[in-house]
Amino acid sequence: KMEPGQHLLIVGNSGAGKSSLLRTIAGLWSSGSGHITRPPPGETFFLPQRPYCTLGSLREQLLYPKLEGEEGDRLSDQELLDILVRVRLPDLAGRLADADGGTGLDSVRDWSSMLSLGEQQR
């Protein structure tokens, strides 16, 4: 049990499950069983060594870890385009729209290959 103010260093061999544990603690994975108590959102911050890009559309990338159509707050296309402006990628959806049509939000790419590491971190 962790007490308030305590710190924890997680170490282990490659493949031991360190990243899986952190994804679970962060709420990115919901399968499995057990109970994890964590501070409210906004009181913790997880920063991966490398950015994690989802497989799927730009919309899904922006909404991750929520799934499109999942209950809760739904963002309009304009709100998602505004997010791209805030993270200094204002032209991304437009470039995709030029290639695929629509708003570009439903374009599917290999985001890890298409975006630079700096763009992925935003």
Side-chain angles (χ1 to χ4, degrees), residues 30-79:
S30 58
S31 62
S33 62
H35 180 76
I36 296 174
T37 303
R38 61 181 169 262
E43 290 188 20
T44 56
F45 186 74
F46 293 86
L47 184 63
Q49 290 177 311
R50 291 182 330 213
Y52 176 72
C53 293
T54 64
L55 302 174
S57 68
L58 178 59
R59 179 185 311 277
E60 292 165 328
Q61 184 73 28
L62 292 169
L63 293 172
Y64 184 81
K66 291 188 176 200
L67 300 173
E68 187 175 3
E70 186 176 289
E71 291 298 317
D73 296 339
R74 295 175 196 245
L75 299 178
S76 69
D77 286 0
Q78 188 56 54
E79 288 171 307

